[in-house]
């Protein structure tokens, strides 16, 4: 069963129930279903063809996405928050001949951008459709492929993650169980729908027959207004909550009526949890962990354990099995370090046009996440950093996350980030970027490092910064840390 089939089902069962809200606009399930049919009718000449989608977040984007599904073609959303050269790099490597866009994005990118496509369809804000050209070319694709999502490129060039209908529905059903989503819920979609987390919000709420309220993080007033307009579940990455918590009184006023504050895209730190708890004691805080290759979610931390086990990702969502393997793909014991692996119906088909990378990531049915982890006695999983993040200093392989944690826990700082830099003798050394707290002193940090860290980890320099080093996707990664360091050094 496809995601769009649930919309058809609710169009019959609850036709007038609101499916999507965006500002002052809303659309019922029956009208959404009709609009999807109208766009899909233009695509019926194609069968299992790749269609790029270039559309801003909103009702139109969801209509286009579901129309590609309904026509039995393959949707490839382009993250419009990426710079133009990044999108062109994706297009140049993904062999896409067809594109559906909005009139806004067509004007924004210009006619030259669309010249390479054999098929170009433009959806206007008034729902009218223009087929600028149409060319049905032969394509051979995986018969189970329905959606390609591009990773954020945290550890390198973005990869096209191939997902099937079964992947999408299985993960949606699991998230519905974890979050207890019903048709009476309203979920806030304020993060990008072009990536795994945002896509999973769309899927889970449409499968549940509930309402999605669409907004963005561009302006604080409309965002708080959206949260206060009947939302029951709010979704955000940790940086989303950090931004909103800069306005504690407004946060308290608007979030007190919500049932759940869900997070993903990185761990929610203890200070953030304590602040939310102090402002809204009865709000359920539910952190989740996942990867694009898992159709979004793999694990969640039950709300009752958030305060005690905030440094873990909790346990597997329903239908997923987690384990920790050593380098020989054998399960390790409790508290031993290994690589987190997962299996279930949500595990992806593979990387688009990259069989070699697929074979390295999925081995005998297990998704190798690239995250170091430990299994605790209570069954919860603690992450210890990414395999790709390891830094080689001389003969030592160093996990930068462990250094950051040690400095943070023993000094008056807000956050610490390890930066690998070139060293004339060791090959690599480290510098530290620090978001200071009240009372942070560079001299004390140097003294702590000299006393507590081995000599090869003594930082060459310590730089103060005033914001998180986030990637385009709102995440913290080795690449985003290095990029921020380069920016700071260039401005000195």
């Amino acid at each position: 069963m496809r995601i769009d089939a649930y919309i058809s089902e609710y169009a019959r069962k609850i036709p007038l129930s609101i499916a999507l809200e965006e500002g002052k606009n809303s659309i019922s399930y029956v009208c959404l279903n009709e609009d999807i049919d109208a766009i899909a009718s233009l695509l019926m000449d194609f069968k299992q063809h790749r269609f790029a989608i270039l559309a801003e977040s909103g009702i139109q984007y969801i209509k286009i996405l579901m129309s590609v599904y309904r026509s039995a073609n393959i949707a490839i959303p382009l993250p419009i928050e990426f710079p133009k050269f990044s999108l062109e790099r994706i297009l140049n490597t993904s062999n896409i001949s067809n594109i559906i866009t909005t009139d806004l994005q067509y004007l924004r990118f210009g006619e030259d951008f669309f010249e390479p496509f054999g098929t170009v369809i433009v959806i206007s804000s008034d729902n009218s459709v223009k087929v600028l050209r149409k060319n049905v070319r032969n394509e051979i694709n995986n018969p189970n492929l329905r959606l390609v999502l591009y990773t954020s490129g945290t550890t390198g060039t973005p990869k096209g993650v191939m997902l099937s209908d079964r992947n999408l529905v299985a993960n949606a059903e699991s998230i519905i169980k974890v979050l207890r989503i019903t048709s009476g819920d309203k979920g806030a979609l304020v993060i990008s729908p072009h990536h795994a987390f945002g896509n999973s919000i769309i899927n889970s709420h449409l499968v549940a027959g509930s309402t999605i309220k669409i907004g963005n993080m561009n302006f604080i007033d409309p965002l708080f207004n959206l949260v206060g307009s009947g939302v029951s579940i709010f979704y955000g990455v940790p940086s989303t909550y950090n931004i909103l918590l800069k306005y504690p009184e407004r946060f308290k006023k608007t979030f007190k009526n919500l049932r759940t504050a869900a997070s993903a895209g990185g761990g929610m730190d203890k200070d953030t949890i304590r602040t939310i708890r102090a402002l809204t004691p009865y709000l359920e805080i539910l952190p989740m962990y996942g990867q694009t290759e898992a159709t979004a979610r793999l694990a969640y931390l039950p709300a009752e354990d958030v305060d005690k086990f905030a440094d873990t990702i909790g346990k597997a969502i329903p239908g997923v099995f987690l384990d920790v393997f050593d380098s020989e793909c054998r399960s390790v014991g409790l508290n031993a370090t290994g690589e987190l692996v997962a299996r279930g119906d949500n595990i992806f088909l593979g990387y688009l046009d990259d069989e070699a990378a697929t074979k390295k990531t999925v081995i005998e049915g297990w998704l190798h996440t690239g995250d170091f982890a430990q299994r605790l006695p209570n069954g919860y999983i603690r992450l210890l950093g990414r395999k790709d993040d390891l830094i080689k200093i001389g003969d030592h392989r160093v996990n930068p996350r462990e250094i950051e944690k040690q400095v943070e826990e023993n000094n008056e700082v807000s956050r610490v980030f390890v930066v690998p830099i070139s060293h004339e003798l060791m090959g690599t050394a480290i510098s530290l970027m620090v978001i200071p707290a009240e009372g942070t002193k560079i001299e004390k940090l140097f003294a702590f490092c000299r006393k507590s860290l081995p000599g090869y980890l003594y930082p060459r320099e310590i730089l103060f910064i005033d914001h998180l080093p986030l990637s385009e996707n709102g995440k913290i990664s080795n690449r985003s840390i290095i990029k921020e360091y380069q920016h700071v050094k260039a401005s000195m």
Side-chain angles (χ1 to χ4, degrees):
M1 192 170 182
R2 293 193 304 262
I3 296 292
D4 68 282
Y6 287 90
I7 298 173
S8 296
E9 182 178 337
Y10 290 122
R12 292 190 299 270
K13 291 181 177 179
I14 49 173
L16 301 183
S17 293
I18 300 301
L20 309 172
E21 293 183 8
E22 182 183 8
K24 296 181 180 179
N25 300 317
S26 64
I27 187 168
S28 66
Y29 270 94
V30 68
C31 291
L32 176 61
N33 193 58
E34 291 171 355
D35 287 352
I36 291 170
D37 275 342
I39 300 173
S41 67
L42 302 171
L43 311 178
M44 292 305 180
D45 293 341
F46 301 86
K47 187 69 173 180
Q48 205 64 17
H49 282 60
R50 301 180 187 186
F51 273 85
I53 299 175
L54 185 63
E56 59 275 14
S57 306
I59 292 175
Q60 289 288 48
Y61 169 76
I62 296 175
K63 285 182 184 179
I64 296 170
L65 179 67
M66 296 299 151
S67 300
V68 176
Y69 291 172
R70 183 157 297 177
S71 62
N73 285 293
I74 301 162
I76 307 182
L78 299 178
I80 61 172
E81 65 273 18
F82 279 15
K84 186 176 180 180
F85 73 86
S86 295
L87 298 184
E88 290 172 336
R89 183 175 60 183
I90 290 173
L91 291 169
N92 289 337
T93 60
S94 53
N95 301 310
I96 304 173
S97 299
N98 316 295
I99 189 167
I100 306 177
T101 189
T102 61
D103 50 2
L104 179 63
Q105 298 306 322
Y106 189 84
L107 290 172
R108 175 190 173 202
F109 282 88
E111 188 175 336
D112 289 347
F113 181 85
F114 297 91
E115 188 62 33
F117 295 97
T119 299
V120 180
I121 299 173
V122 181
I123 312 293
S124 298
S125 55
D126 62 0
N127 289 326
S128 62
V129 180
K130 295 179 181 178
V131 180
L132 300 187
R133 55 184 173 273
K134 190 174 185 179
N135 184 4
V136 183
R137 302 174 182 174
N138 290 329
E139 288 188 20
I140 299 176
N141 292 300
N142 186 318
N144 296 315
L145 179 57
R146 186 64 61 222
L147 174 68
V148 178
L149 291 178
Y150 274 85
T151 65
S152 59
T154 300
T155 57
T157 302
K159 300 184 183 73
V161 173
M162 299 192 298
L163 302 172
S164 67
D165 292 316
R166 184 59 194 146
N167 293 152
L168 298 170
V169 172
N171 208 239
E173 290 174 341
S174 296
I175 293 171
I176 288 169
K177 291 177 183 177
V178 170
L179 292 174
R180 309 183 313 281
I181 303 173
T182 70
S183 59
D185 276 311
K186 291 186 177 183
L189 176 64
V190 300
I191 59 178
S192 172
H194 310 103
H195 299 284
F197 188 16
N199 185 74
S200 72
I201 296 169
I202 294 170
N203 292 342
S204 55
H205 281 271
L206 291 180
V207 169
S210 59
T211 302
I212 302 171
K213 295 180 72 72
I214 304 168
N216 55 60
M217 293 292 296
N218 294 341
F219 300 100
I220 289 297
D221 284 347
L223 178 55
F224 276 117
N225 290 339
L226 180 148
V227 176
S229 63
V231 165
S232 55
I233 306 175
F234 183 84
Y235 301 88
V237 297
S239 60
T240 306
Y241 289 98
N242 291 333
I243 291 169
L244 294 176
L245 288 170
K246 291 181 179 180
Y247 309 88
E249 290 305 315
R250 298 197 68 177
F251 188 97
K252 180 178 181 179
K253 181 180 178 181
T254 53
F255 275 77
K256 69 178 181 181
N257 296 319
L258 272 66
R259 184 181 82 238
T260 303
S263 72
M268 186 181 285
D269 62 52
K270 293 181 179 179
D271 288 342
T272 300
I273 291 171
R274 279 195 292 265
T275 303
I276 294 175
R277 187 77 74 209
L279 295 172
T280 52
Y282 302 106
L283 177 65
E284 177 184 69
I285 304 172
L286 207 152
M288 295 182 287
Y289 159 84
Q291 292 189 336
T292 306
E293 291 85 346
T295 325
R297 307 278 74 81
L298 282 170
Y300 74 105
L301 180 58
E304 63 270 19
D305 284 339
V306 166
D307 296 298
K308 188 175 181 181
F309 293 101
D311 61 338
T312 77
I313 60 170
K315 61 183 180 180
I317 64 173
V320 168
F321 300 91
L322 296 177
D323 205 344
V324 180
F325 282 2
D326 63 17
S327 59
E328 302 298 322
C329 293
R330 298 172 300 196
S331 183
V332 302
L334 295 178
N335 296 319
T337 298
E339 182 180 7
L340 180 66
V341 296
R343 68 188 308 161
D345 285 342
N346 60 320
I347 302 304
F348 75 140
L349 299 173
Y351 294 113
L352 186 67
D353 301 330
D354 196 341
E355 188 175 345
T358 301
K359 288 181 177 179
K360 291 180 181 179
T361 304
V362 181
I363 303 172
E364 296 184 354
W366 289 95
L367 168 67
H368 287 244
T369 66
D371 285 325
F372 281 126
Q374 293 175 333
R375 190 192 300 106
L376 305 183
N378 67 350
Y380 286 179
I381 302 288
R382 176 182 289 127
L383 297 185
L384 301 173
R386 288 195 59 79
K387 290 174 63 177
D388 295 334
D389 285 350
L390 291 181
I391 300 171
K392 187 176 181 182
I393 302 177
D395 294 330
H396 306 278
R397 291 191 177 275
V398 177
N399 185 340
R401 306 293 87 83
E402 292 180 352
I403 303 171
E404 292 164 357
K405 184 177 180 181
Q406 186 173 358
V407 177
E408 287 174 356
E409 290 181 348
N410 293 280
N411 292 275
E412 293 178 342
V413 296
S414 293
R415 291 293 298 272
V416 174
F417 303 97
V418 168
V419 186
I421 60 173
S422 178
H423 188 275
E424 59 276 10
L425 297 178
M426 304 291 285
T428 303
I430 68 168
S431 289
L432 298 182
M433 289 194 305
V434 175
I435 299 180
E438 186 175 351
T440 303
K441 302 292 184 184
I442 285 183
E443 296 80 9
K444 289 184 178 180
L445 292 175
F446 273 122
F448 171 81
C449 293
R450 186 179 296 108
K451 179 180 178 182
S452 305
L453 300 177
Y456 61 87
L457 292 181
Y458 186 74
R460 298 293 298 270
E461 60 187 342
I462 298 176
L463 305 175
F464 280 179
I465 59 175
D466 60 4
H467 58 274
L468 295 171
L470 301 177
S471 68
E472 296 169 332
N473 220 23
K475 296 183 180 181
I476 297 172
S477 66
N478 259 18
R479 292 181 71 203
S480 66
I481 291 169
I482 293 170
K483 186 175 181 180
E484 178 64 24
Y485 173 81
Q486 293 170 341
H487 174 75
V488 171
K489 294 292 287 186
S491 63
M492 290 178 64

